[in-house]
Amino acid sequence: MNATVAGLTWHSLVGRRRAVLLFVLPAVLLALALLVRLVSGQSAGAAADLLGSFSLGFLIPLLCLIAGTGAIGPEIDDGSIVYLLAKPLNRYVIAVSKWVVALGVIVIFGVLPTLAAGFIMAGSDSNLATGYAAGALLAGIAYATVFLLLAVLTRNAVVIGLLYALVWEAAIGGYVPGAQALSIQQWALAVTQKMVGDQASGLGIESAVGLGAGVTLLVVVTVAGLAYTGYRLRSIRINGDE
Amino acid sequence: MTATVPYRPRTAGAPVTMKLEQVSRWFGNVVAVNDVSMTIGPGVTGLLGPNGAGKSTLIHLMSGFLPPSSGTVTIDGETTWHNESIYRRIGLVPEREAMYDGVSGWNFVLSNAKLHRLPDPQAAARRAIETVDMESAAGRDVGTYSKGMKQRIKMATALVHDPDVLLLDEPFNGMDPRQRLQLMDLMAELGRNGRVVLFSSHILEEVEQIAAGIEVMVAGRHAASGDFREIRRLMTERPHQYTIRSSDDRALAAALIADGSTAGVELGRRSGTEILNVQATDYNRFAHRLPVFARERGIRLYEVTPADESLEKVFSYLVSR
């Protein structure tokens, strides 16, 4: 971890116009949570529905896409990455520093709002708020890794990431059992399900994978993804405009 | 930029040498750099060639951002590709303008100093910013800078760790004449202090004013190498074509043809306007005599355009010699 790389990355991420989305998405979640609370009162069922579909199913993947690709993609596109790479810096350190910043953004704008929304709608009932916040954090860790790697691998990272998060996970993963096993959302949901406990199935919180498999896959994707990002960054080729 | 360079002369040890040995780089079917070998020592070297000649690709190969498809690029025997520690010795000024726009110039240079893990990054950043004369604008965000200011702050980031090798890709782009002269002075002094200073340019005059050594690239090939004056002599010996528009083309034509600097003049028309096509044989004499003739005869010069001064033509002439 290098504080200077992290500082420059933070400036790039929250300084760009796309950062508006960082504020809009959690604001929408909190507004919806307040609305649900006002209309339905304290309701674990409504909380599980909103946190499962909007937070874990939409906000977290989209936020991770913005933060994960935004942490390095624009620098590669416009060439300013040269100022980091033309330094005697270990490329894995650069990758980890950018990943940490992306994760920080995800925690601030995704995980904490999920926790707050859970408490607003369900109070401390059934560990729903903490369960979904933990799920959001673990999903965020894996998503951020995948999207950071994508941004190093391809200039079409945002499009591919959107296809994965919204088409594969939300559409195909929602209906095809085999596809569900290859879904970060489902791996993280296994943790949420475990934390919510016995009431989980009654609230419709059911992961397609077991807890052991979910956690293992999250760890494998994160560690392997970060290692490969550092490796690719070491061999990244920068060409002139000619 | 300050006239004196506050960087140590490099006197200890053997002179720095950057070596390219039979380097080629291709992208798919396109050969960007073709079997280039050169050795660059301390001093200022100009990498000259028209746009698309492979200069930027060569600088990226030298700075370790591209692996050669074949051949080797080394600095004092150390390869530049896959070698992060080489950046302790290289300062790079990229051609592309993009930096971290939301960061102030001071913070940007300071960040570069910290990334180099310098013992006193504040002092190093201050020295680099003073060297490029950007103290007054250092507090402003990089995104608000003019092109010339961006070039200078890029130069500061390249100098901040006092590198042995300075690679500059089209460094004079966007600079006004004063800034250009200051940067030239700075580069010349760094070169005199024992550093390898290599810069690319497609403008002959820039290279002529500053570079003792010159490497000419044409269409990916290493077309010429050596002393600029010799290459320049070859260039100036060739006939130059000019298009002139004036208040009295005929009188000017008569004066020019009577003078020894021109081999031929021809009256012609372009878009309904009378023009004069001149073939100058003695470039320096022609450049000196033309305004004198015009003034003596009360002729106003509206346009004097070199008709064949594109680098491609100059270089194809050079290569054909």
Side-chain angles (χ1 to χ4, degrees):
Chain A
M1 171 76 181
N2 181 293
T4 310
V5 175
L8 288 170
T9 306
W10 175 263
H11 260 286
S12 310
L13 252 183
V14 297
R16 290 177 194 263
R17 218 170 292 160
R18 72 163 83 181
V20 174
L21 271 176
L22 298 177
F23 291 92
V24 170
L25 290 169
V28 170
L29 173 67
L30 292 171
L32 286 172
L34 278 170
L35 193 68
V36 167
R37 176 71 194 229
L38 289 173
V39 173
S40 315
Q42 187 168 318
S43 163
D49 281 348
L50 187 66
L51 294 178
S53 59
F54 187 83
S55 181
L56 202 53
F58 178 73
L59 181 136
I60 293 294
L62 203 59
L63 194 62
C64 293
L65 184 63
I66 295 165
T69 58
I72 200 165
E75 286 166 78
I76 293 175
D77 287 346
D78 68 19
S80 56
I81 191 82
V82 161
Y83 295 98
L84 297 186
L85 297 179
K87 301 290 180 296
L89 268 183
N90 187 309
R91 281 17 182 177
Y92 294 96
V93 171
I94 295 177
V96 169
S97 305
K98 289 188 165 289
W99 177 77
V100 168
V101 172
L103 206 56
V105 167
I106 292 159
V107 167
I108 293 168
F109 296 99
V111 177
L112 294 178
T114 298
L115 185 68
F119 280 128
I120 289 170
M121 290 183 289
S124 54
D125 277 4
S126 320
N127 280 340
L128 261 179
T130 48
Y132 268 105
L137 177 63
L138 292 172
I141 289 171
Y143 278 130
T145 313
V146 170
F147 295 142
L148 189 72
L149 172 61
L150 265 180
V152 172
L153 291 180
T154 169
R155 290 191 168 198
N156 300 315
V158 174
V159 175
I160 296 170
L162 267 177
L163 286 173
Y164 172 74
L166 299 181
V167 177
W168 178 264
E169 293 226 326
I172 299 172
Y175 304 103
V176 184
Q180 283 182 330
L182 290 175
S183 156
I184 289 173
Q185 191 184 324
Q186 293 296 320
W187 305 342
L189 195 62
V191 176
T192 305
Q193 185 181 346
K194 174 70 180 171
M195 286 180 71
V196 173
D198 295 341
Q199 294 180 37
S201 57
L203 294 168
I205 305 170
E206 283 182 288
S207 171
V209 296
L211 180 66
V215 171
T216 306
L217 286 165
L218 285 169
V219 171
V220 167
V221 163
T222 303
V223 173
L226 267 180
Y228 194 51
T229 303
Y231 172 77
R232 288 303 300 235
L233 213 47
R234 191 156 188 253
S235 303
I236 199 164
R237 291 159 190 202
I238 295 170
N239 194 19
D241 292 330
E242 291 183 334
Chain B
M1 273 167 258
T2 53
T4 51
V5 182
Y7 293 95
R8 66 189 161 86
R10 195 186 181 285
T11 48
V16 188
T17 307
M18 182 160 60
K19 210 169 198 171
L20 282 78
E21 288 172 292
Q22 295 178 305
V23 171
S24 295
R25 175 69 216 189
W26 50 82
F27 301 96
N29 292 328
V30 179
V31 181
V33 170
N34 192 350
D35 197 26
V36 171
S37 293
M38 56 175 80
T39 302
I40 299 161
V44 182
T45 302
L47 183 61
L48 185 62
N51 288 327
K55 304 188 298 294
S56 284
T57 303
L58 206 57
I59 285 188
H60 282 93
L61 287 160
M62 291 170 175
S63 53
F65 287 125
L66 266 181
S69 302
S70 68
T72 55
V73 183
T74 55
I75 294 174
D76 289 345
E78 267 190 277
T79 179
T80 59
W81 173 244
H82 263 178
N83 182 7
E84 286 115 35
S85 64
I86 202 79
Y87 295 112
R88 290 185 210 286
R89 307 190 62 194
I90 296 178
L92 177 68
V93 178
E95 185 182 10
R96 290 172 81 169
E97 260 187 46
M99 281 177 273
Y100 292 80
D101 285 352
V103 179
S104 71
W106 164 256
N107 277 331
F108 186 54
V109 179
L110 180 63
S111 296
N112 276 270
K114 287 178 177 172
L115 290 171
H116 276 292
R117 296 200 187 92
L118 300 179
D120 188 350
Q122 304 264 350
R126 201 172 305 116
R127 179 178 63 172
I129 286 172
E130 280 170 9
T131 304
V132 300
D133 200 14
M134 280 289 285
E135 302 101 303
S136 58
R140 278 170 49 193
D141 282 357
V142 169
T144 66
Y145 285 173
S146 68
K147 205 168 177 179
M149 291 163 99
K150 282 186 178 177
Q151 286 294 96
R152 285 190 281 159
I153 224 65
K154 276 156 65 175
M155 186 72 186
T157 66
L159 283 175
V160 77
H161 59 299
D162 193 9
D164 292 332
V165 177
L166 201 56
L167 302 171
L168 307 100
D169 200 354
E170 301 278 357
F172 302 108
N173 276 357
M175 282 192 169
D176 65 36
R178 190 182 65 92
Q179 293 166 349
R180 204 174 277 227
L181 280 175
Q182 286 173 332
L183 179 58
M184 284 179 179
D185 284 348
L186 175 62
M187 288 164 62
E189 189 148 349
L190 287 166
R192 278 195 297 275
N193 282 353
R195 286 164 182 79
V196 171
V197 180
L198 181 131
F199 75 104
S200 71
S201 175
H202 60 279
I203 299 169
L204 292 170
E205 284 68 25
E206 283 179 357
V207 180
E208 183 176 23
Q209 284 175 45
I210 181 176
I214 176 174
E215 307 292 340
V216 181
M217 294 288 293
V218 181
R221 286 183 175 277
H222 192 196
S225 175
D227 182 73
F228 186 85
R229 278 163 297 186
E230 179 61 17
I231 292 167
R232 179 75 203 187
R233 190 182 59 74
L234 292 171
M235 288 175 180
T236 49
E237 268 180 4
R238 68 191 244 287
H240 287 63
Q241 306 276 344
Y242 287 91
T243 300
I244 299 174
R245 215 158 48 77
S246 72
S247 58
D248 190 346
D249 287 347
R250 285 170 189 276
L252 194 59
L256 285 170
I257 199 68
D259 185 68
S261 64
T262 47
V265 291
E266 183 194 10
L267 286 162
R269 293 191 83 78
R270 187 185 64 194
S271 310
T273 314
E274 204 167 71
I275 55 165
L276 195 59
N277 293 314
V278 178
Q279 185 166 331
T281 45
D282 184 337
Y283 165 74
N284 287 328
R285 183 177 166 85
F286 171 77
H288 177 71
R289 299 295 292 161
L290 176 66
V292 174
F293 288 151
R295 194 176 62 238
E296 285 172 355
R297 288 159 181 77
I299 300 169
R300 291 179 73 91
L301 293 172
Y302 300 126
E303 176 190 336
V304 180
T305 313
D308 65 346
E309 272 294 283
S310 77
L311 266 180
E312 287 81 355
K313 286 184 181 168
V314 173
F315 287 132
S316 49
Y317 171 80
L318 195 63
V319 173
S320 69
R321 288 290 299 244

